[in-house]
């Protein structure tokens, strides 16, 4: 039964056509005999040649804010029709539907990157091949490493988003000669490999007419920075070290370590900011990063905190014979008075036991008209009291300043 089935299949395949290498060689000889690759395709010269284009987005190789450089790896797919390269399949084995030829053999659009970062050169290479079909259709898929300029806006670094545009055109051909026809309004992201620093949120392809009347093909790439690393390694340490500085106003003056503690933390903040300065993008236009202003504010606040701690220590050790300003004294007394007024005076019951006889005892309860108030205001204010109130005021003031500088600013940047 198997032999009969095999015989039946072979008998049905005896009339199947299959082209040979000689026939494909003859096809190339016939097609390119008298072919001029310098002349653009198109039998009707009154109509522009339509070139279909798609872009396969593979990965982001590099994005440098300092150099304004975007490097993208991908591949273009250009398709057009050249009626000079059409043939009848029956003359070449019956099934020769398509063939490959070198790029240098046929006419191709010399597409160049208009906003290239370094050397401007056409896409593709002479060693690449294009696919030619019997209908005259041509498919050209050159892989590309595109290095374009892209000015970054780092105002909201590290929560920033960037939009880069890659511009392409064909020199020497106007819209009445050739036109780009994007096959899709977006880039093909099927084979895209995620970048560890940037997340691509959207892509867009369109065509525009520039000021020199050339048609440009533009690829827009919108991306957002992945900020998890910067939050854990940059923002949180800065915020914690900033709030550590205000602990100097809680440290007792008697310890004798306040000035040393304040100066040490200030130096630690300055050293840390010097280390992370290399990770901040260097840009002045369109705006400097708000985080750079925040770091500057941290240094200034640290200097003011250290100065306040020194000034507070001077108040603590001021000569008690020196008079205290009346306004300062009245302010402290009023604050003390408000605190004591909020407390109720406790009633004190005094029990007196008189021993008259061993068997009988008489208890006398005496309730004074005025209870003893242990927290009675004292009108005597010393410089140490002034120093304590100065520390309290500085503590509250710098908590507000650091909260605004860290929390509010971070919320503003992140939103």
């Amino acid at each position: 039964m198997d032999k009969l089935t095999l015989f039946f299949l072979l008998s049905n395949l005896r009339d199947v056509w299959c082209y040979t290498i000689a026939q494909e060689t003859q096809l190339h000889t016939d097609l390119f005999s008298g072919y001029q690759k310098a002349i653009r395709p198109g039998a009707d010269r009154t109509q522009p040649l339509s070139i279909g284009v798609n872009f396969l987005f593979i990965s982001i190789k590099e994005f440098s804010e300092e150099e304004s450089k975007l490097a993208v790896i991908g591949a273009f797919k250009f398709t057009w029709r050249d009626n000079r390269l059409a043939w009848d399949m029956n003359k070449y084995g019956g099934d020769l539907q398509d063939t490959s030829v070198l790029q240098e053999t046929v006419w191709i659009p010399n597409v160049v990157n208009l906003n290239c970062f370094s050397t401007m050169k056409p896409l593709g290479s002479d060693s690449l091949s294009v696919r030619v079909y019997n209908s005259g259709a041509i498919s050209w898929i050159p892989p590309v490493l595109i290095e374009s300029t892209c000015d970054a806006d780092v105002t909201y670094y590290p929560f920033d988003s960037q939009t880069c545009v890659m511009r392409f055109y064909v020199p020497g051909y106007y819209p009445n000669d050739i036109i780009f026809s994007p096959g899709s309004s977006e880039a093909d992201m099927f084979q895209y490999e995620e970048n560890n620093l940037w997340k691509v949120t959207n892509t867009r392809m369109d065509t525009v007419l520039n000021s020199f009347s050339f048609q440009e093909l533009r690829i827009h790439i919108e991306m957002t920075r992945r900020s998890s690393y910067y939050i854990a390694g940059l923002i949180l340490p800065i915020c914690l070290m900033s709030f550590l500085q205000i602990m100097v106003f809680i440290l007792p003056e008697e310890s004798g370590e306040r000035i040393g503690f304040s100066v040490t933390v200030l130096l630690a903040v300055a050293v840390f900011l010097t280390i992370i300065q290399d990770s901040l993008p260097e840009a002045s236009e369109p705006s400097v990063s708000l985080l750079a202003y925040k770091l500057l504010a941290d240094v200034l606040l640290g200097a003011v905190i250290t100065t306040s701690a020194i000034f507070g220590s001077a108040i603590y050790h001021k000569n008690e014979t020196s008079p205290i300003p009346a306004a300062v004294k009245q302010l402290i007394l009023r604050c003390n008075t408000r605190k004591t007024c909020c407390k109720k005076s406790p009633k004190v019951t005094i029990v007196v036991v008189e021993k008259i006889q061993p068997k009988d005892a008489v208890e006398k309860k005496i309730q004074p008209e005025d209870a003893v108030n242990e927290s009675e205001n004292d009108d005597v204010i010393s410089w140490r009291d002034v120093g304590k109130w100065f520390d309290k005021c500085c503590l509250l003031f710098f908590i507000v300043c650091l909260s605004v500088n860290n929390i509010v600013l971070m919320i503003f940047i992140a939103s």
Side-chain angles (χ1 to χ4, degrees):
M1 186 66 181
D2 295 338
K3 294 181 179 179
L4 293 176
T5 303
L6 180 60
F7 175 77
F8 177 76
L9 292 175
L10 291 176
S11 63
N12 288 336
L13 293 175
R14 66 183 185 275
D15 296 332
V16 175
W17 291 345
C18 181
Y19 70 90
T20 64
I21 187 173
Q23 291 171 331
E24 188 172 9
T25 302
Q26 184 61 41
L27 173 63
H28 282 218
T29 302
D30 296 341
L31 288 179
F32 298 105
S33 178
Y35 180 84
Q36 294 292 331
K37 69 174 185 179
I39 301 176
R40 73 167 179 87
D44 188 359
R45 311 305 284 184
T46 61
Q47 298 295 326
L49 175 66
S50 177
I51 301 178
V53 57
N54 289 280
F55 181 67
L56 176 63
F57 197 178
I58 296 179
S59 66
I60 297 177
K61 180 184 178 182
E62 178 188 4
F63 180 62
S64 175
E65 300 94 333
E66 295 82 3
E67 297 179 339
S68 299
K69 175 184 177 182
L70 173 66
V72 171
I73 299 175
F76 281 101
K77 181 179 181 181
F78 297 98
T79 57
W80 66 92
R81 186 178 299 276
D82 192 340
N83 60 298
R84 297 172 295 178
L85 300 179
W87 70 87
D88 185 3
M89 292 189 300
N90 295 327
K91 296 181 180 179
Y92 304 96
D95 63 341
L96 184 52
Q97 299 180 356
D98 54 77
T99 184
S100 295
V101 298
L102 291 177
Q103 173 181 316
E104 62 179 1
T105 309
V106 298
W107 180 93
I108 60 169
N110 291 322
V111 183
V112 298
N113 186 3
L114 188 58
N115 60 336
C116 63
F117 181 77
S118 55
T119 305
M120 182 177 295
K121 59 181 179 179
L123 302 183
S125 171
D126 291 341
S127 60
L128 297 178
S129 297
V130 299
R131 202 71 180 173
V132 182
Y133 297 86
N134 67 301
S135 61
I138 298 179
S139 176
W140 178 42
I141 309 178
V144 290
L145 171 58
I146 307 171
E147 295 182 346
S148 297
T149 58
C150 179
D151 293 329
D153 183 4
V154 296
T155 303
Y156 302 104
Y157 173 89
F159 304 100
D160 54 325
S161 299
Q162 307 295 336
T163 300
C164 297
V165 182
M166 299 180 292
R167 305 164 58 189
F168 301 90
Y169 85 115
V170 182
Y173 290 96
Y174 292 94
N176 58 347
D177 298 321
I178 62 173
I179 57 173
F180 287 115
S181 299
S184 175
S185 60
E186 298 179 350
D188 186 354
M189 304 286 292
F190 181 73
Q191 299 184 24
Y192 178 74
E193 300 175 359
E194 292 290 342
N195 186 269
N196 57 353
L197 291 179
W198 295 94
K199 178 182 178 182
V200 177
T201 57
N202 187 33
T203 59
R204 182 164 50 90
M205 293 179 60
D206 57 19
T207 57
V208 297
L209 200 66
N210 61 24
S211 58
F212 290 97
S213 299
F214 287 108
Q215 187 191 44
E216 290 185 14
L217 171 67
R218 296 189 175 184
I219 302 177
H220 305 256
I221 300 177
E222 299 177 6
M223 50 190 178
T224 303
R225 190 189 302 271
R226 302 183 188 273
S227 56
S228 300
Y229 166 78
Y230 300 96
I231 293 175
L234 179 65
I235 296 178
L236 289 181
I238 293 175
C239 295
L240 293 177
M241 294 182 70
S242 298
F243 279 99
L244 183 63
Q245 291 178 300
I246 63 176
M247 295 295 104
V248 67
F249 299 109
I250 301 178
L251 190 66
E253 175 63 27
E254 291 77 7
S255 64
E257 299 292 336
R258 298 185 62 178
I259 306 301
F261 174 82
S262 180
V263 173
T264 301
V265 176
L266 178 61
L267 292 177
V269 172
V271 172
F272 183 75
L273 296 182
T274 304
I275 295 174
I276 67 174
Q277 192 69 28
D278 296 335
S279 63
L280 295 179
E282 300 176 0
S284 298
E285 292 293 337
S287 178
V288 180
S289 173
L290 294 178
L291 183 60
Y293 290 116
K294 180 213 174 309
L295 299 180
L296 177 61
D298 286 337
V299 176
L300 294 178
L301 282 175
V304 176
I305 290 174
T306 303
T307 304
S308 301
I310 297 174
F311 186 69
S313 297
I315 294 177
Y316 267 99
H317 297 88
K318 197 172 183 62
N319 192 350
E320 294 295 340
T321 59
S322 301
I324 301 175
V328 175
K329 190 173 183 179
Q330 290 296 326
L331 178 62
I332 297 177
L333 288 175
R334 288 180 181 178
C335 293
N336 289 335
T337 303
R338 290 179 181 178
K339 286 185 178 181
T340 54
C341 288
C342 296
K343 297 181 181 179
K344 294 182 179 180
S345 300
K347 290 184 178 181
V348 179
T349 301
I350 303 176
V351 178
V352 179
V353 179
E354 291 184 359
K355 232 178 184 184
I356 302 176
Q357 293 179 357
K359 296 182 178 180
D360 300 324
V362 179
E363 294 183 356
K364 295 182 179 181
K365 295 183 178 180
I366 302 175
Q367 292 190 0
E369 296 180 357
D370 298 326
V372 178
N373 187 3
E374 296 178 355
S375 58
E376 185 179 359
N377 292 333
D378 187 7
D379 292 341
V380 179
I381 303 298
S382 65
W383 281 109
R384 295 182 63 84
D385 297 328
V386 176
K388 291 179 180 180
W389 277 100
F390 179 79
D391 287 344
K392 293 179 181 179
C393 294
C394 289
L395 180 63
L396 295 176
F397 174 75
F398 287 113
I399 285 177
V400 174
C401 291
L402 290 176
S403 299
V404 172
N405 185 39
N406 291 281
I407 300 175
V408 177
L409 182 60
M410 287 298 103
I411 294 176
F412 176 74
I413 294 177
S415 62

